[in-house]
């Protein structure tokens, strides 16, 4: 029993039983929209990630008799499951055999933005005097009420976690390549997150531009290249009484390089970084691939290590750096001579924006066909009504109602992903998605490619999001009705 | 042979600055002096395939001197079996000379093949005194006489062994050079040490030559390269 289908919140089932009591189980399809309401303070964009995982969820969504039995025994749900509406929900759950409905989604890896909504003429769009926030709709779904309930949490869980990792990884990769030189970033975060999450984090990091992961399982789950260096344990384990560590270290480097020629990135900081570099070069007779520095990594120590490698005749040896790096240090160390970077928690845990990637899923059109928007008057947390399309231009997005005629230019981002019980087409390969992310990043205005976020009122602002005249009109009308 | 040594030198040395004559002080400085022990391997000793006459006679005094330096560097010739310097690889006789990479390569009998007993350090050499061990001639297609640089390679460059950087990292400014052989690996090492900005002194009594009869040629190169050569009896102090 995987429990995957039970990975929902309790309220989704209690409210579903209440809807059943209200006779809504066979209501016509409802529309939900998933989006990031705002960007975290430290992000100029979010990399959408999770579409692949959502398709997998759609394909596997079903409840076994065993799982339904668990619901019957749940202290809150159990008694209600015995009622007539509960029996109705039970039958509906038992009948689910994969997701059924329509999904339109932006492609995996799409850069998503949020910010103050602008009218087509560029003036701010206000709701009750407060600027309305606009955002890139990521995914719109039209399906039955029970399925709306069952997908919300699992899909948000996927989008929020994976987009958090992909967005952070994208920053680290662009920091490593800030001067146009390709430098590898390897995702090292497995030990900083849950083992299941770590495999998916490796995927998110890879599509965002990381070159590989240290996570072996990710290779077999997703086909991501996995690589590694060595640990201090390995070198310390060779220590012997009466033998200088210089000798045991050199011995281990020699042994390792012979076994893994071409992949011998030797960890040199176990005892003394610069002596370690000598041992790495001499122990392998210069055949090492590179050295890894994992402690006391500074601009100065990197420059010194580079010079020492060159002076030792190992100018071919790459400098691979780790040591709790984040994108800011990666940027400085790349300029100092780092050739590659291992980044762990600062990709997989995204500590500076761990909770800020707040995708939500909201009802935008109910079963009666009525467009709805959450108003939350005065809060700035109003949502956009109706099924939307978003057109990406070279310097802004344009949001319109899905049934408006397309503008002459601009790329419509929302594409059919799922119809009925099937995905519309095969998903792009990982490398296609990775290229897509890299192309979009390179096409961003320079100030949005930087690590720093724009300061309001100074210089260039966030990515502009305009709202079509027709959508603005619908919003104005809905607001006046409420 | 020494012509070849000459040809491989990098830039011509600067004229020595005229200094006020002062007595040479060969007191061993533990912080800034190193002893360089070159190729004390059985293959270079009487009975070996590339024997240097009397090469075995300097083992004991070198071993004693090693006790007095805080930093001892030792080199080992350490060749792959098909090394380019072996006459057997060219169908030629040992000691023939052939043109190679714009220089002249002397061809040798097979010697010091990595891992063989003839390539090991002589058992009389106290290995626990060795701070840095440099193995040279490890690339099949390049010979290496000097502890500091390979001979000229296919790219016309003399690739560093890294020893200069290692000595510099340890604050070494002066090296005393001994071992085998005076007109090849010892001489090249001393000249390169001087070219790398170190002060190099060859210890005449603790080295032997392949061609002792051509000593004048070697000494002329030493003079030209500002390399001193002195008897080891002038050394004073050190951790005895």
């Amino acid at each position: 029993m995987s429990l995957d289908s039970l990975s929902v919140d309790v309220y989704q089932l209690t409210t579903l039983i209440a809807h059943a009591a209200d006779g809504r189980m066979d209501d016509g399809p409802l529309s939900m929209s998933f989006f990031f309401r705002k960007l975290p303070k430290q992000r100029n964009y979010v990399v959408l990630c999770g579409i692949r995982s959502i398709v997998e969820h759609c394909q596997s969504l079903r409840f076994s008799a065993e799982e339904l039995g668990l619901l019957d025994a749940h202290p809150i749900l159990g008694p209600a499951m015995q009622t007539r509406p509960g029996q109705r929900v039970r039958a509906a759950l038992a009948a689910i055999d994969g997701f059924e409905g329509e999904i339109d989604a932006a492609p995996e890896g799409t850069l998503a933005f949020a910010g103050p909504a602008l009218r087509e003429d560029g003036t701010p769009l206000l709701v009750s005097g407060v600027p309305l926030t606009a955002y890139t709709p990521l995914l719109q779904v039209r399906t039955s009420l029970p399925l709306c309930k069952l997908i919300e949490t699992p899909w948000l869980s996927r989008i929020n976690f994976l987009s958090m990792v992909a967005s952070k990884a994208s920053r680290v990769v662009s920091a490593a390549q800030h001067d146009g030189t390709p430098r590898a970033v390897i995702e090292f975060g497995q030990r900083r997150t849950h083992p299941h999450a770590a495999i998916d984090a490796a995927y998110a990091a890879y599509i965002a531009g990381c070159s590989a992961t240290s996570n072996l399982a990710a290779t077999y789950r997703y086909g991501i290249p996995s690589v590694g260096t060595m640990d201090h344990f390995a070198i310390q384990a060779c220590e012997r009484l009466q033998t200088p560590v210089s000798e045991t270290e050199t011995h281990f480097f020699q042994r390792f390089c012979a076994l893994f020629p071409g992949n011998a990135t030797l960890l040199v900081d176990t005892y003394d970084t610069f002596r370690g570099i000598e041992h790495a070069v001499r122990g392998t007779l210069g055949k090492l691939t590179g050295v890894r520095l994992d402690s006391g990594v500074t601009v100065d120590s990197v420059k010194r290590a580079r010079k020492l490698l060159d002076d030792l005749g190992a100018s071919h040896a790459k400098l691979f750096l780790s040591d709790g790096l984040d994108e800011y240090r990666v940027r400085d160390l790349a300029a100092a001579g780092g050739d590659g970077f291992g980044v762990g928690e600062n990709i997989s845990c995204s500590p500076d924006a761990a909770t800020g990637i707040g995708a939500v899923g909201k009802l935008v059109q109910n079963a009666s066909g009525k467009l709805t928007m959450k108003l939350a008057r005065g809060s700035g947390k109003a949502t956009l009504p109706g099924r939307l399309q978003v057109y990406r231009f070279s310097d802004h997005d344009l949001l319109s109602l899905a049934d408006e005629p397309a503008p002459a230019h601009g790329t419509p981002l929302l594409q059919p992903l799922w119809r009925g019980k099937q995905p519309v087409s095969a998903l792009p390969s990982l490398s296609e998605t990775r290229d897509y992310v890299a192309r979009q990043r390179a096409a961003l205005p320079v100030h949005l490619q930087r690590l720093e976020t724009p300061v309001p009122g100074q210089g260039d602002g966030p990515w502009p999001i305009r709202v079509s005249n027709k959508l603005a009109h619908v919003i104005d009308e809905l607001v006046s009705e409420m | 042979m020494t012509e070849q040594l000459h040809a491989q030198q990098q830039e011509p040395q600067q004229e020595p600055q005229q200094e006020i004559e002062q007595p040479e002080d060969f007191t061993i400085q533990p912080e800034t002096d190193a002893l360089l022990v070159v190729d004390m391997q059985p293959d270079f000793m009487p009975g070996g395939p590339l024997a240097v006459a009397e090469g075995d006679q300097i083992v004991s005094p070198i071993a004693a001197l090693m006790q007095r330096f805080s930093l001892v560097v030792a080199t080992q010739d350490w060749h792959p079996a098909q090394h380019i310097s072996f006459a057997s690889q060219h169908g030629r006789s040992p000691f023939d000379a052939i043109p190679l990479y714009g220089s002249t390569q002397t061809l040798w009998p097979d010697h010091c093949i990595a891992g063989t007993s003839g390539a090991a350090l002589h058992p009389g050499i106290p290995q626990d005194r060795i701070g840095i061990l440099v193995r040279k001639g490890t690339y099949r297609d390049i010979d290496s006489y000097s502890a500091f640089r390979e001979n000229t390679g296919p790219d016309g460059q003399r690739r560093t062994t890294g020893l200069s950087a290692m000595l510099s990292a340890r604050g070494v400014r002066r090296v005393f050079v001994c071992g085998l052989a005076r007109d090849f690996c010892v001489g090249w090492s001393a000249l390169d040490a001087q070219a790398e900005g170190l002060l190099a002194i060859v210890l005449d009594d603790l080295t032997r030559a392949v061609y002792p009869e051509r000593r004048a040629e070697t000494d002329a190169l030493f003079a030209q390269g500002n390399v001193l050569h002195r008897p080891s009896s002038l050394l004073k102090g050190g951790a005895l």
Side-chain angles (χ1 to χ4, degrees):
Chain A
M1 186 168 50
S2 74
L3 297 181
D4 271 355
S5 298
L6 292 182
S7 293
V8 297
D9 292 314
V10 169
Y11 81 83
Q12 279 144 343
L13 292 179
T14 55
T15 55
L16 182 57
I17 295 169
H19 286 315
D22 226 12
R24 317 208 72 89
M25 286 297 278
D26 296 322
D27 273 3
L30 297 82
S31 291
M32 288 178 79
S33 179
F34 290 76
F35 51 87
F36 302 113
R37 200 198 314 271
K38 57 179 185 183
L39 296 180
K41 269 203 292 265
Q42 307 83 348
R43 298 286 180 272
N44 287 327
Y45 58 86
V46 165
V47 179
L48 168 64
C49 185
I51 301 298
R52 175 180 298 273
S53 182
I54 284 172
V55 169
E56 290 173 357
H57 181 257
C58 287
Q59 288 164 330
S60 67
L61 183 62
R62 49 187 60 80
F63 294 86
S64 66
E66 199 180 2
E67 286 167 324
L68 292 173
L70 293 176
L71 298 183
D72 290 336
H74 185 274
I76 296 170
L77 294 169
M81 290 298 279
Q82 312 312 315
T83 63
R84 281 182 66 89
Q87 291 298 311
R88 187 84 179 72
V89 167
R90 192 181 210 287
L93 296 183
I96 291 171
D97 183 25
F99 177 83
E100 186 169 5
E102 282 181 22
I103 307 171
D104 290 343
E108 186 90 305
T110 296
L111 302 195
F113 304 95
L118 305 172
R119 293 182 188 270
E120 276 192 58
D121 63 8
T123 58
L125 176 59
L126 305 178
V127 171
S128 312
V130 176
L132 180 72
T133 299
Y135 41 76
T136 313
L138 307 171
L139 188 138
Q140 291 181 146
V141 55
R142 191 203 303 261
T143 187
S144 68
L145 186 141
L147 282 170
C148 278
K149 295 275 178 188
L150 293 171
I151 59 170
E152 183 186 357
T153 298
W155 290 11
L156 288 175
S157 164
R158 286 161 168 81
I159 293 174
N160 279 323
F161 176 71
L162 295 172
S163 301
M164 172 191 87
V165 175
S167 303
K168 183 71 166 174
S170 178
R171 286 169 64 78
V172 178
V173 169
S174 59
Q177 305 176 353
H178 70 276
D179 56 359
T181 304
R183 298 184 184 89
V185 176
I186 314 295
E187 182 273 319
F188 267 13
Q190 177 164 217
R191 63 190 53 194
R192 303 294 190 185
T193 188
H194 186 275
H196 295 173
I199 298 173
D200 284 6
Y203 164 80
Y206 184 71
I207 66 143
C210 287
S211 303
T213 176
S214 64
N215 188 329
L216 187 58
T219 291
Y220 304 108
R221 174 70 171 82
Y222 290 113
I224 301 165
S226 51
V227 299
T229 63
M230 57 177 57
D231 55 359
H232 300 109
F233 175 106
I235 290 155
Q236 290 169 282
C238 297
E239 288 177 16
R240 280 171 299 168
L241 287 175
Q242 315 292 338
T243 306
V245 291
S246 63
E247 204 169 294
T248 54
E249 188 179 48
T250 304
H251 163 82
F252 185 75
F253 289 157
Q254 183 179 11
R255 177 62 52 89
F256 192 89
C257 188
L259 287 167
F260 301 102
N263 282 298
T265 297
L266 307 172
L267 181 62
V268 292
D269 64 352
T270 306
Y271 308 110
D272 175 302
T273 298
F274 301 101
R275 286 294 140 79
I277 290 174
E278 289 180 4
H279 301 152
V281 176
R282 294 306 308 164
T284 63
L285 300 173
K287 295 187 178 71
L288 76 173
T289 313
V291 297
R292 174 178 169 201
L293 275 57
D294 186 48
S295 45
V297 179
T298 62
V299 165
D300 281 350
S301 70
V302 167
K303 286 182 175 167
R304 207 177 138 196
R306 180 69 268 162
K307 178 171 190 317
L308 180 56
L309 281 170
D310 294 344
D311 289 349
L312 291 171
S315 40
H316 67 281
K318 303 281 187 214
L319 262 182
F320 186 77
L321 309 174
S322 48
D323 185 22
L325 302 182
D326 64 11
E327 60 269 43
Y328 297 96
R329 285 179 70 203
V330 163
R331 182 174 60 185
D332 294 345
L333 297 172
D339 297 302
F341 305 90
V343 179
E345 69 266 32
N346 278 308
I347 287 179
S348 63
C349 304
S350 184
D352 66 329
T355 56
I357 309 278
V360 291
K362 294 294 174 192
L363 195 63
V364 291
Q365 187 167 23
N366 69 17
S368 67
K370 184 183 184 317
L371 301 189
T372 72
M373 73 184 280
K374 176 186 162 193
L375 187 54
R377 212 177 277 276
S379 72
K381 287 178 79 175
T383 61
L384 301 170
R387 289 174 65 78
L388 303 177
Q389 180 55 279
V390 54
Y391 297 91
R392 178 142 298 166
F393 293 81
S394 61
D395 58 355
H396 71 281
D397 280 358
L398 173 69
L399 290 174
S400 70
L401 290 166
D403 51 9
E404 281 188 68
H409 304 289
T411 308
L413 291 183
L414 294 174
Q415 300 292 338
L417 180 72
W418 189 280
R419 290 291 181 268
K421 304 187 78 164
Q422 306 278 350
V424 171
S425 54
L427 291 170
S429 70
L430 267 64
S431 63
E432 285 166 340
T433 299
R434 198 161 173 269
D435 291 346
Y436 173 57
V437 175
R439 278 199 312 276
Q440 294 173 88
R441 194 167 48 217
L444 280 177
V446 171
H447 75 282
L448 297 179
Q449 293 185 41
R450 294 200 187 105
L451 300 181
E452 290 75 16
T453 47
V455 178
Q458 288 180 28
D460 296 314
W463 182 258
I465 303 175
R466 295 187 189 164
V467 169
S468 73
N469 289 334
K470 194 169 173 197
L471 177 55
H473 180 70
V474 169
I475 293 168
D476 289 339
E477 285 205 329
L478 281 171
V479 170
S480 66
E481 275 174 24
M482 289 189 211
Chain B
M1 296 308 132
T2 42
E3 284 148 32
Q4 186 187 359
L5 187 153
H6 185 208
Q8 299 266 7
Q9 279 308 301
Q10 305 265 337
E11 292 105 47
Q13 298 300 306
Q14 289 179 340
E15 284 300 310
Q17 286 184 341
Q18 286 301 320
E19 288 175 6
I20 300 159
E21 198 66 31
Q22 54 186 0
E24 291 170 338
D25 178 8
F26 290 135
T27 306
I28 296 169
Q29 306 294 330
E31 302 297 323
T32 55
D33 283 348
L35 179 66
L36 177 53
V37 178
V38 177
D39 294 2
M40 292 298 285
Q41 295 162 281
D43 275 358
F44 292 128
M45 310 237 177
L50 184 43
V52 179
E54 302 180 355
D56 51 345
Q57 292 184 13
I58 59 175
V59 172
S60 296
I62 287 177
L65 187 57
M66 286 170 74
Q67 304 297 332
R68 294 166 61 188
F69 280 81
S70 56
L71 178 61
V72 175
V73 179
T75 68
Q76 257 176 315
D77 229 18
W78 199 254
H79 296 311
Q82 281 87 36
H83 193 245
I84 195 157
S85 75
F86 294 170
S88 60
Q89 295 299 307
H90 303 271
R92 305 288 293 260
S93 307
F95 309 106
D96 281 0
I98 60 164
L100 184 68
Y101 312 139
S103 288
T104 306
Q105 172 70 48
T106 303
L107 297 177
W108 305 106
D110 290 10
H111 66 280
C112 292
I113 293 170
T116 59
S117 57
L121 286 172
H122 188 282
I125 296 295
Q127 299 210 25
D128 62 343
R129 295 297 307 157
I130 297 170
I132 299 174
L133 180 66
V134 177
R135 286 178 169 161
K136 52 197 188 62
T138 60
Y139 297 97
R140 200 201 68 83
D141 56 346
I142 315 175
D143 206 358
S144 183
Y145 295 154
S146 163
F148 291 90
R149 290 181 180 275
E150 318 273 351
N151 296 7
T152 303
D155 58 358
Q157 302 293 310
R158 291 189 59 204
R159 178 155 54 181
T160 179
T161 64
L163 179 59
S164 175
M166 288 189 267
L167 293 181
S168 151
R170 288 161 178 78
V172 171
R173 295 205 291 269
R174 184 166 70 167
V175 286
F176 293 92
V177 191
C178 60
L180 299 171
R182 191 179 193 269
D183 44 354
F184 286 92
C185 297
V186 167
W188 282 54
S189 297
L191 286 162
D192 277 347
Q194 197 73 32
E196 297 281 354
L198 297 158
L199 207 57
I201 301 109
V202 173
L203 299 172
D204 278 330
D205 54 317
L206 301 184
T207 180
R208 294 292 185 273
V210 176
Y211 300 101
E213 67 278 15
R214 299 189 198 163
R215 177 168 174 143
E217 289 175 41
T218 307
D219 286 359
L221 286 167
F222 285 171
Q224 192 185 340
N226 293 330
V227 168
L228 300 178
H229 55 99
R230 297 286 185 271
S232 65
S233 56
L234 294 179
L235 288 176
K236 286 183 285 196
L240 283 164

